[in-house]
Amino acid sequence: MRTIQILAVTFLGAILIFASRAQAHLLVAQNGTLTISQEGTWLAVSLPASAFAKLDPNKDGVDETELAHGQRAVKERVRRDFRLVDIDGPLMLRDIVINLSKPHNTDATATPLLVLGRFDASKRPQTLRLSATIFGRSKTERVLKLRVRSGDRTHTHELTPKRSTVRLLD
């Protein structure tokens, strides 16, 4: 089991490295996927850099150096404000990998952050609540579309500051 987790994190890290080099679009901004399986619960989400106030102090768009300096704070914020809770309590988000994603438009200050991680779950959860309170400043950055996949079921949820918690797998 631990070997699978290590391989998965290594694979996700390699995707991020090669994708950033190729300037690929792995996820559209403000979109993500939560995949729930027997092996774990995996998160891949694109978040707006404007959600992290101190990440871009000079307001010229987040670059690799600024991300490197702010990486720890970004991970802490993602861990705190992106929560998954089952009947036994909150599941910890671990193995977080963050990278810059080339924006779809030419506005350099709209750089999205690609966030990958794994929620601790020793068993496949039956009932879950997801809460996300990370939103950007502009109107388009205040909606997060998250596709949840579990087995053969897929459902898309829209999270906003007014509707930041949803029930999953009901």
Side-chain angles (χ1 to χ4, degrees):
M1 179 64 139
R2 184 74 181 144
T3 303
I4 291 172
Q5 292 171 345
I6 291 169
L7 288 172
V9 170
T10 303
F11 177 72
L12 292 174
I15 287 174
L16 278 174
I17 290 168
F18 292 119
S20 67
R21 300 286 186 259
Q23 296 297 308
H25 302 284
L26 293 181
L27 284 173
V28 175
Q30 283 74 247
N31 279 261
T33 302
L34 185 71
T35 303
I36 302 164
S37 71
Q38 288 298 123
E39 291 78 32
T41 301
W42 303 92
L43 172 70
V45 65
S46 177
L47 298 172
S50 71
F52 306 93
K54 296 179 182 177
L55 192 58
D56 184 20
N58 56 5
K59 307 293 184 225
D60 66 344
V62 178
D63 61 32
E64 294 289 338
T65 302
E66 290 169 327
L67 180 61
H69 283 98
Q71 185 121 188
R72 185 176 188 179
V74 170
K75 286 182 181 182
E76 288 172 7
R77 170 98 190 272
V78 168
R79 206 174 267 123
R80 182 186 72 228
D81 292 352
F82 213 104
R83 300 184 47 105
L84 193 60
V85 179
D86 71 4
I87 58 174
D88 297 324
L91 303 174
M92 179 63 120
L93 183 59
R94 299 199 186 275
D95 303 326
I96 298 172
V97 178
I98 300 170
N99 205 340
L100 297 175
S101 177
K102 184 179 177 185
H104 286 266
N105 60 29
T106 57
D107 179 7
T109 62
T111 306
L113 300 181
L114 179 60
V115 178
L116 303 173
R118 170 188 64 84
F119 285 98
D120 274 351
S122 58
K123 61 186 181 330
R124 185 177 182 153
Q126 300 302 311
T127 302
L128 290 172
R129 280 189 333 271
L130 174 73
S131 175
T133 55
I134 299 178
F135 300 99
R137 284 182 247 153
S138 74
K139 185 176 181 177
T140 59
E141 294 176 336
R142 301 192 63 74
V143 175
L144 174 62
K145 292 182 183 177
L146 191 71
R147 183 183 321 213
V148 179
R149 295 180 184 159
S150 178
D152 60 352
R153 296 186 300 171
T154 300
H155 187 77
T156 301
H157 297 275
E158 279 196 9
L159 298 141
T160 67
K162 290 184 179 181
R163 187 175 183 265
S164 61
T165 301
V166 293
R167 291 180 63 91
L168 310 175
L169 304 178
D170 285 338

